[in-house]
Amino acid sequence: MSLAGRAQARPARLPPHVPGRAARTRHKWYEIILLTGPAVIVFTLFVLTPIGFAAYYSLYKWSGYGWPTEFRGLDNYIGPFGAFRDAIFRDALRNNAIILVGSLVIQGPLAIGMALLLNRRFRGRAVFRLLVFVPYVLAEVMIGIMWQLILQPNGTADAILTNLGLGHLITGWLGNLNVVIWTMLLILTWKYTGFALILFLAGLANIPVELTEAAAIDGASWWQIQRHITIPLLGSTIRIWMFLSMIGSLQVFDVIWVASTPAVRSLGASNTMATYMVDHGFNEREWGYGNAVAVILFAISFLAALLFQRFVLRRDIDGAQTQGVT
Amino acid sequence: MIAKRRSGAVVTLVATAALVASGCSSGKSGSGTESKSDLYSHPVTLNWWHNANQDGPLRTHWQKVADDFHNLHPTVTIKVTAIETNDLQRNRLPAAMLGGNPPDVFQAWGGGEMAEQVKSNYLMDITADAKAEVASMGPVSKIWSVDGKQYGLPFSFGIEGFWYNKDLFAKAGISAPPTTLDELNAAVSKLKAANVTPIAVGAGDKWPAGHWWYNFAVRECPAATLANAGTKQDFNDPCFVKAGEDVKAFIATNPFQPNFLATPGQTGATSSAGLLANGKAAMELMGHWNGGVMQTLTPDQKEPAFLGWFPFPSVPGAGGSQNTQMGGGDGFSCSKKAPKECVEFLKYIVSADVEKAFAATGAGIPTVKGAEAGLADPALQTIATATQSAGGVQLWLDTTFGAKAGTAMNDAIVAIFANQGTPQGVIDALKKATAR
């Protein structure tokens, strides 16, 4: 609006050789095309086109040899053998939900607590920060194999429990179908708490010291300061972390793929939407069905992202927008 | 020829642009239109994909085969790529075939998978060129044929059975390998009494558990019933349910290592093969390749000396053949677009001397008559003899039924192992599998 306002106001005062409104609009469009063009092309080719293809393939029964020819409509979604009627796929949805809620409920408070601790000055603080962050830096596949070795029968974990006098707790950490998903949640928590921590530490560094100092001078205790000043000011960081954690939980694949066996996955004990998609799409040669699962995974993630942005991140995003450009 | 090749490259280029991410690359030499007299007349490159991706005798053998063939026929250059079996079979080959740029020579397992590839017109018909080789292999070669036409040549074929630890058997007081199911059950009891894990099973990978069901199915079902199941998807015979009941009853005797749903088949010392190789379990039901797998899982990288082998025992009162054995093998096929030299290379791989050298690697049993003389491993010699004297050989049921039905079947069998499924569940899964 302001640009239009200026455009109307200017011709009266400026010399006539200044380009007219149409020319400048055209010029503006050249700039937009030039600057966004490459990104739009890449995005279209590598994001939108595959999504379109996935949606198209998901309507076929297709084994991957030759192009799809057997059109099945929405059978892969809601047919008698479609994803939503498959008990193992529903198990995958449940497992994703467990990981999503578990990650938010466990990692969040844990990381906030550690961030508040590690934000104080003490000897060896840098070492502690590094140690907590190490699991996040390690590759998922390495972590999967490492935990597989730790958790195998008579492995390190069992030995530690026995020595602590907790031998009666020992179970098939990766083989007991009722336990496996919680084992996976433990591994994921171990890995991703460091990520939450580093975000929160960065957020804490942005909180002006003056505020806490002023509160301290006013007689507020350490707990009161954290409760009423630090955590509210950390809010936007926490919300961004929640968003990233949520999307990550919906799409989790690597650790589960490596640390739990195909048998355990196919029985619905540890599988997620992503592992289910690969198990069926590639390993069972159900390419059309696998694409349908991919579309469902995409739709759920997209919807979750939209809702979260609309209702939770709204304030943060509004604040982040560069105002005054228009 | 040059002009032709260039136009091929242009077509490929257009296809690349159209398909974007399909993985097409430069057009390759050789269009498959030369007549036989053109053989070796101009340079060609053969892309060869095999599954010996672990460093070891077999991988070395294949590299030598490629080098030797190039020395014999300098116009043929062979580019070798080794890819892990599952990745090769399930991901890489279908993607390469769909992308229109498959390797020229690649691993082929025959059965239902091959029938699908033939249906999509991906494979070269080698019936006319490989008559002598097919005759020398006998009925085994049929597994690499579809509708009477030959589409591949197996270099290795053997039957499945129990690999066992002779020392642990002696310790438990078992004098001779079991020949009936009752004797196997008795051996399991004796081993348990001696505080030894009787049998290792890599149920975590699903198919090792599936093999138990396959073997019981061979004992319970007549050959004609199994053949009908493969070609007509007819699983109504009650013998299939009986096979599941046999498995269930056998699992109920607790013969396996604890926590077997988390045990992989072949990776690491705690896999089922690793447990047997390191003396932690007394038996494993596994294919003829197991010796080669165990070589890589022991501290000294050698196959343990205590290993013996016996075939799957007979099941008293069962209606199928009691001396037919479950088995399978490995072969190679040429893609439809491959140059003519590809067939010559296939024939070279299964020529007597090359097969003898293969036998010496200990990675499997050769298919060509006379080559078994090269077998150095006593367990493999036993299997080679047993393969020849078997009343019949039934190809792995998951390969016979194709990837879809095969995997669904394995899932349902694993459910029995996990005490969640029923014998009828396997039949239901088989019938359902073709729907997606």
Side-chain angles (χ1 to χ4, degrees):
Chain A
M1 279 313 276
S2 58
L3 188 72
R6 275 196 306 253
Q8 278 165 354
R10 273 178 189 173
R13 290 185 279 125
L14 291 171
H17 68 262
V18 168
R21 185 180 169 183
R24 276 190 295 134
T25 307
R26 213 182 316 127
H27 189 76
K28 188 179 81 182
W29 275 107
Y30 289 153
E31 263 179 31
I32 289 175
I33 290 169
L34 186 75
L35 293 175
T36 61
V40 168
I41 290 171
V42 169
F43 187 75
T44 309
L45 278 184
F46 294 105
V47 179
L48 295 181
T49 313
I51 291 173
F53 270 115
Y56 170 73
Y57 292 147
S58 75
L59 303 177
Y60 287 84
K61 178 186 168 184
W62 182 30
S63 72
Y65 284 132
W67 293 106
T69 49
E70 290 180 61
F71 186 76
R72 289 295 161 90
L74 293 175
D75 272 8
N76 283 330
Y77 297 90
I78 50 174
F81 303 114
F84 289 115
R85 299 234 201 134
D86 187 301
I88 304 297
F89 181 68
R90 289 200 301 262
D91 284 339
L93 288 173
R94 183 206 58 209
N95 291 337
N96 271 119
I98 290 175
I99 290 169
L100 194 155
V101 174
S103 297
L104 292 179
V105 170
I106 300 171
Q107 286 174 32
L110 202 64
I112 291 174
M114 285 197 288
L116 292 177
L117 274 180
L118 291 173
N119 205 34
R120 310 176 86 175
R121 294 190 182 283
F122 60 92
R123 274 172 79 90
R125 185 174 74 158
V127 176
F128 272 102
R129 283 187 175 187
L130 190 72
L131 282 180
V132 180
F133 195 57
V134 162
Y136 181 69
V137 180
L138 294 176
E140 272 90 348
V141 174
M142 262 174 63
I143 284 178
I145 292 173
M146 190 182 91
W147 278 93
Q148 207 180 28
L149 292 174
I150 292 174
L151 292 170
Q152 66 190 330
N154 304 320
T156 318
D158 289 358
I160 290 172
L161 282 176
T162 309
N163 287 334
L164 290 174
L166 296 171
H168 60 281
L169 288 180
I170 291 173
T171 177
W173 303 112
L174 300 169
N176 182 333
L177 300 180
N178 298 317
V179 169
V180 178
I181 188 64
W182 303 105
T183 308
M184 296 297 131
L185 184 61
L186 173 86
I187 301 174
L188 290 168
T189 304
W190 178 82
K191 177 167 169 62
Y192 289 104
T193 301
F195 174 65
L197 180 78
I198 215 84
L199 281 182
F200 294 159
L201 280 174
L204 286 176
N206 277 335
I207 296 173
V209 193
E210 292 83 354
L211 291 177
T212 48
E213 275 174 358
I217 289 166
D218 286 345
S221 72
W222 187 82
W223 278 113
Q224 283 173 322
I225 294 173
Q226 308 309 327
R227 167 72 188 79
H228 295 288
I229 295 177
T230 313
I231 295 196
L233 285 173
L234 201 57
S236 66
T237 313
I238 294 175
R239 285 189 292 273
I240 289 285
W241 164 76
M242 283 172 75
F243 180 72
L244 295 173
S245 171
M246 197 178 72
I247 298 300
S249 299
L250 286 173
Q251 306 193 337
V252 62
F253 174 81
D254 327 47
V255 167
I256 288 170
W257 187 261
V258 177
S260 69
T261 61
V264 171
R265 289 200 305 268
S266 75
L267 289 163
S270 69
N271 61 342
T272 62
M273 283 188 280
T275 66
Y276 181 89
M277 173 179 77
V278 176
D279 270 328
H280 283 263
F282 287 110
N283 290 353
E284 304 211 358
R285 201 47 74 61
E286 296 167 351
W287 285 31
Y289 182 71
N291 273 301
V293 174
V295 170
I296 295 170
L297 173 57
F298 167 73
I300 291 176
S301 306
F302 192 61
L303 195 71
L306 278 184
L307 289 178
F308 196 83
Q309 291 207 344
R310 173 75 182 74
F311 292 108
V312 184
L313 282 182
R314 194 176 173 191
R315 228 166 9 138
D316 306 311
I317 289 175
D318 281 352
Q321 256 169 15
T322 39
Q323 283 161 355
V325 167
T326 48
Chain B
M1 216 48 216
I2 289 168
K4 193 170 190 181
R5 240 179 272 159
R6 191 167 294 158
S7 72
V10 170
V11 170
T12 313
L13 192 69
V14 171
T16 310
L19 296 173
V20 190
S22 69
C24 298
S25 61
S26 62
K28 65 179 177 305
S29 57
S31 56
T33 54
E34 306 91 352
S35 69
K36 186 133 191 176
S37 59
D38 285 339
L39 216 52
Y40 308 125
S41 63
H42 61 268
V44 293
T45 301
L46 293 179
N47 275 307
W48 182 22
W49 288 7
H50 66 67
N51 73 345
N53 63 318
Q54 305 268 354
D55 277 330
L58 184 57
R59 187 173 186 163
T60 315
H61 171 68
W62 288 143
Q63 189 56 52
K64 187 175 177 310
V65 169
D67 296 343
D68 289 352
F69 192 76
H70 175 67
N71 291 338
L72 277 174
H73 306 287
T75 55
V76 183
T77 311
I78 295 169
K79 235 181 92 190
V80 188
T81 312
I83 302 167
E84 188 271 326
T85 309
N86 200 49
D87 192 28
L88 176 66
Q89 188 179 15
R90 304 283 193 237
N91 308 340
R92 299 287 296 275
L93 276 176
M97 286 170 173
L98 196 59
N101 195 20
D104 302 285
V105 199
F106 51 88
Q107 198 111 8
W109 294 267
E113 183 94 57
M114 176 168 266
E116 278 197 71
Q117 292 170 346
V118 169
K119 212 168 95 189
S120 300
N121 208 15
Y122 289 142
L123 302 187
M124 188 190 284
D125 178 356
I126 58 170
T127 318
D129 292 316
K131 276 200 179 105
E133 284 74 14
V134 167
S136 139
M137 287 170 192
V140 158
S141 64
K142 280 215 169 59
I143 291 169
W144 281 261
S145 73
V146 178
D147 297 333
K149 287 179 185 158
Q150 199 68 26
Y151 290 97
L153 291 176
F155 59 87
S156 170
F157 194 90
I159 58 174
E160 174 162 75
F162 285 88
W163 295 74
Y164 74 103
N165 184 324
K166 288 178 184 162
D167 297 351
L168 289 178
F169 266 46
K171 185 183 153 196
I174 304 163
S175 48
T179 55
T180 66
L181 184 59
D182 297 336
E183 287 176 24
L184 180 65
N185 283 327
V188 165
S189 307
K190 281 185 185 168
L191 286 162
K192 276 203 274 193
N195 224 358
V196 172
T197 300
I199 307 177
V201 61
D205 281 335
K206 303 199 279 195
W207 58 266
H211 281 203
W212 280 88
W213 190 90
Y214 307 168
N215 277 285
F216 277 115
V218 167
R219 290 285 170 270
E220 294 286 356
C221 300
T225 311
L226 286 171
N228 267 344
T231 51
K232 295 181 198 144
Q233 266 78 45
D234 175 6
F235 307 105
N236 290 316
D237 196 291
C239 71
F240 290 108
V241 179
K242 279 212 74 186
E245 284 165 356
D246 290 347
V247 172
K248 210 172 158 68
F250 189 72
I251 296 169
T253 67
N254 262 324
F256 301 118
Q257 83 278 15
N259 212 16
F260 49 71
L261 289 176
T263 307
Q266 304 178 328
T267 27
T270 53
S271 64
S272 54
L275 291 174
L276 177 62
N278 293 296
K280 305 273 196 234
M283 292 179 255
E284 188 190 15
L285 175 64
M286 194 42 72
H288 63 125
W289 59 76
N290 211 24
V293 172
M294 283 188 275
Q295 282 172 9
T296 65
L297 298 176
T298 52
D300 59 359
Q301 302 284 299
K302 283 200 184 102
E303 198 177 314
F306 56 65
L307 283 179
W309 186 92
F310 63 91
F312 197 85
S314 63
V315 177
S321 162
Q322 302 306 306
N323 65 350
T324 295
Q325 300 299 340
M326 175 67 47
D330 291 277
F332 289 110
S333 288
C334 288
S335 75
K336 188 122 197 164
K337 294 169 156 186
K340 211 67 179 148
E341 283 84 348
C342 183
V343 188
E344 299 306 311
F345 183 56
L346 282 191
K347 286 154 72 174
Y348 177 72
I349 291 176
V350 297
S351 61
D353 287 342
V354 177
E355 276 280 84
K356 248 182 218 164
F358 165 73
T361 65
I365 296 164
T367 49
V368 176
K369 281 197 185 69
E372 65 271 12
L375 288 172
D377 176 8
L380 280 183
Q381 286 166 356
T382 317
I383 301 175
T385 317
T387 305
Q388 275 161 10
S389 63
V393 175
Q394 170 64 47
L395 177 66
W396 313 120
L397 291 183
D398 53 352
T399 313
T400 308
F401 296 164
K404 250 183 214 183
T407 317
M409 169 174 68
N410 288 350
D411 284 1
I413 296 167
V414 163
I416 298 181
F417 273 74
N419 207 13
Q420 289 192 347
T422 61
Q424 182 61 38
V426 181
I427 318 303
D428 296 343
L430 276 167
K431 289 181 180 168
K432 227 162 68 171
T434 39
R436 276 182 196 144

